[in-house]
Amino acid sequence: MNFHGKPNTFVSQVDLKVSNLERSLIFYQNVVGFKILEQTATTAKLTADGKTPMLTLEQPARAVSKQRNTTGLYHFAILLPQRSDLGRVLEHLIQLNYPLGAADHYVSEALYLQDPDDNGIEIYWDRPASTWDWKNGEVAMATEQLDARSILAEGKGMQWNGLPEGTIIGHIHLHVSDLNNTEEFYVKGLGFNVVNHFGNQALFISTGNYHHHIGLNTWAGEGAPAPSENSVGLNWFSIVLPSEDARKNVINELVGMGASVKEEDGVFITADPSGNRIQLLV
């Protein structure tokens, strides 16, 4: 099933603020495997297939380091087409001796790393949806030890040539200040469904019974403030709605809830209660 296409609502692009664009481009090309699609002196759009923008990097004037205990990005997640692709990535990162974490989440297998500005990145593949365990409307997810040897064996003998075609943004995971008003915003306002509660500090939401298009947590602290405007970290992310009518309905719902929706250069932008900015695309 296509969880990142119509009729679902899903995350498609992420825009990050970085402190040094040149340094970040070296990382995102040589370590992660993106290609440059467009570049200016202070911005760059990155792609996996040479056509579709996935990640934008922006270097603001007088950028400051990422602030602890603030809302914003926990990680953005790059979804690979095949398990063998993950094997090639893992072998590549081992050869670079790049620090990383790893986990088996039942629904997926994942690698974790940080960019030079401490922005979190997940690189993962999904197990077949037919193997996911659903009970009472929630999908079973956990953090278990990854079978790295099996993954490496699957990618053995295949050269790493960057991110393969078919790679997309699979999900985004955010620090928020309060789960109750955040859940209302994303569920009532944007139309997502809660598919997993992780205690009382995190929840996962999706459309179309995906394991999650967005993760939300209060691990930076209840009531955590938003970072400063020129802090490195998340600038915005985009969600794609299935139709223009669906976007109109979402905008009406958000405005009715008291959320701000602005149009900037033909793009509708809102922000969740923690200040995480979202582009509403069709």
Side-chain angles (χ1 to χ4, degrees):
M1 181 176 177
N2 181 13
F3 294 108
H4 298 83
K6 293 182 179 181
N8 297 312
T9 299
F10 56 94
V11 177
S12 65
Q13 297 180 50
V14 175
D15 185 297
L16 296 180
K17 292 176 284 187
V18 299
S19 60
N20 185 304
L21 181 62
E22 182 178 356
R23 180 182 67 174
S24 292
L25 284 174
I26 291 171
F27 167 81
Y28 278 103
Q29 290 178 94
N30 297 345
V31 177
V32 180
F34 279 107
K35 305 176 184 72
I36 297 175
L37 186 62
E38 298 176 17
Q39 185 178 354
T40 70
T42 57
T43 67
K45 291 184 178 180
L46 306 182
T47 180
D49 63 7
K51 300 174 291 184
T52 309
M54 289 175 55
L55 177 67
T56 300
L57 304 176
E58 300 190 28
Q59 181 181 322
R62 299 179 297 279
V64 297
S65 300
K66 191 173 184 179
Q67 299 162 290
R68 295 186 179 277
N69 302 320
T70 57
T71 60
L73 184 71
Y74 181 55
H75 64 244
F76 71 94
I78 299 165
L79 175 58
L80 302 172
Q82 304 289 337
R83 192 171 192 248
S84 57
D85 298 322
L86 190 65
R88 285 195 289 272
V89 171
L90 179 55
E91 176 67 28
H92 164 67
L93 293 174
I94 289 172
Q95 289 177 356
L96 293 179
N97 198 29
Y98 200 88
L100 73 155
D104 184 330
H105 296 303
Y106 297 164
V107 296
S108 62
E109 293 176 301
L111 307 174
Y112 294 92
L113 60 160
Q114 307 291 120
D115 79 359
D117 288 299
D118 206 29
N119 293 307
I121 305 163
E122 176 182 347
I123 304 175
Y124 74 113
W125 88 289
D126 278 333
R127 287 197 170 97
S130 59
T131 67
W132 303 350
D133 183 18
W134 290 85
K135 290 182 181 178
N136 299 320
E138 295 207 4
V139 64
M141 293 192 289
T143 300
E144 303 289 350
Q145 183 172 333
L146 187 73
D147 187 350
R149 288 185 178 179
S150 173
I151 291 172
L152 286 169
E154 195 128 354
K156 190 173 180 61
M158 302 178 185
Q159 185 177 359
W160 183 84
N161 291 308
L163 295 172
E165 287 194 26
T167 299
I168 59 174
I169 298 294
H171 64 266
I172 194 167
H173 196 152
L174 305 170
H175 289 298
V176 298
S177 59
D178 179 270
L179 280 187
N180 290 328
N181 60 17
T182 298
E183 181 175 343
E184 181 183 25
F185 175 87
Y186 283 95
V187 173
K188 182 181 177 184
L190 293 180
F192 288 93
N193 301 307
V194 177
V195 292
N196 183 277
H197 288 88
F198 192 77
N200 60 0
Q201 293 186 325
L203 58 89
F204 299 88
I205 60 175
S206 75
T207 60
N209 285 340
Y210 190 50
H211 56 72
H212 66 295
H213 290 111
I214 302 176
L216 304 156
N217 74 68
T218 55
W219 298 332
E222 289 276 354
S228 63
E229 182 64 28
N230 59 338
S231 168
V232 301
L234 181 67
N235 190 18
W236 52 260
F237 68 97
S238 66
I239 63 169
V240 177
L241 294 145
S243 67
E244 187 61 54
D245 284 343
R247 179 163 66 178
K248 289 178 181 177
N249 291 337
V250 161
I251 291 172
N252 289 336
E253 194 68 52
L254 290 172
V255 171
M257 295 168 57
S260 172
V261 181
K262 297 179 180 179
E263 186 177 357
E264 299 177 7
D265 299 324
V267 178
F268 290 95
I269 299 176
T270 188
D272 72 14
S274 300
N276 297 307
R277 299 172 71 234
I278 307 164
Q279 289 191 353
L280 306 174
L281 307 182
V282 173

